[in-house]
Amino acid sequence: MTSIEEELKQTLASLSELSDLKTPVLEDDEAATAEATSSALRLLSASTPLFAALKRVNRRIYKDLSVQKARVAEERAKVDTARLSLQNLKYEESMLDLEVKVCQEFQSIFQDIELHDLQEFQQLRSTSAAAVLKTEEQDADAEAKDEAMEDGEENLTDEHKLMLTRLRFELQERKRLEARKQTLQQDKTEVVKENKEKKSNLEQIEKDLKDVLVAAEAIKAKFESF
């Protein structure tokens, strides 16, 4: 029990005791009336401090009540803020769940790419990395060296990193093969052009030989006519 409650009970008890001391007043008895009036004045004098104390207690109770209301309002605001934060977190959770579901159901074009099997990939990657590290071309192969070193440092036990490494290696291999194809195509074009030139030269030589034979036959015929 708080001190305010104790003080309030004591004040009310004192006022109740004073109220019990009140004497009834008889209308026809002047002496009794005077005595009752004197007693009432004494009761009023004695109760005045008690009423003052009661008012003081009332002010304290009102003040404490206001403080408690303010605290309740503050706690209610905290609860409302926490509830709003919880709702926001639940909304974010639902959005994340949706994004995870979308990612899980996502069909990537990489799933349709034909890759080297894992054993062949590891062998080719080791061979390719060794070849890159031995090259002397600084500008052209600097990026390839960095990628080879990066692939060598990656943890290939991680499925995601392994897939990225295989895709990157597949891209490098296809670029290399495409460059090789272009080189061979260019060589083929040059060979075809050279063969055409040789064929044209041979045809011209054959024509010249025929002309020489015709001229030789004419000269032979002239000599035979003598």
Side-chain angles (χ1 to χ4, degrees), residues 202-216:
L202 289 174
E203 290 177 351
Q204 184 63 38
I205 292 173
E206 183 179 0
K207 181 180 178 182
D208 293 341
L209 287 175
K210 288 181 179 180
D211 293 339
V212 170
L213 289 175
V214 171

Side-chain angles (χ1 to χ4, degrees), residues 40 108 114:
S108 172
E114 295 183 2

Side-chain angles (χ1 to χ4, degrees), residues 24-145:
V25 179
L26 298 177
E27 295 180 357
D28 297 335
D29 191 349
E30 294 181 358
T33 301
E35 181 64 24
T37 302
S38 177
S39 176
L41 290 175
R42 288 195 300 272
L43 288 175
L44 180 61
S45 177
S47 63
T48 298
L50 295 176
F51 281 113
L54 183 62
K55 188 174 182 180
R56 183 177 65 255
V57 171
N58 182 64
R59 285 197 301 268
R60 291 180 59 185
I61 292 175
Y62 180 79
K63 182 179 179 181
D64 290 345
L65 182 61
S66 299
V67 172
Q68 293 298 327
K69 285 183 177 180
R71 290 179 179 176
V72 170
E74 183 179 357
E75 294 300 324
R76 183 179 289 111
K78 291 181 180 179
V79 171
D80 293 339
T81 302
R83 183 182 293 109
L84 181 60
S85 299
L86 179 61
Q87 291 177 353
N88 291 336
L89 289 175
K90 287 184 177 180
Y91 176 76
E92 292 180 3
E93 181 183 10
S94 63
M95 291 295 100
L96 289 175
D97 290 339
L98 179 60
E99 291 183 5
V100 169
K101 184 178 180 181
V102 171
C103 291
Q104 290 176 345
E105 296 177 353
F106 176 72
Q107 297 295 327
S108 172
I109 60 173
F110 298 122
Q111 297 174 350
D112 300 329
I113 296 178
E114 295 183 2
L115 301 177
H116 295 87
D117 59 63
L118 186 57
Q119 183 177 1
E120 184 181 4
F121 156 71
Q122 291 176 346
Q123 293 176 352
L124 292 175
R125 188 175 69 92
S126 300
T127 304
S128 177
V132 169
L133 292 175
K134 289 180 180 179
T135 185
E136 296 179 356
E137 297 179 4
Q138 299 295 329
D139 296 335
D141 293 340
E143 182 179 357
K145 287 182 180 180

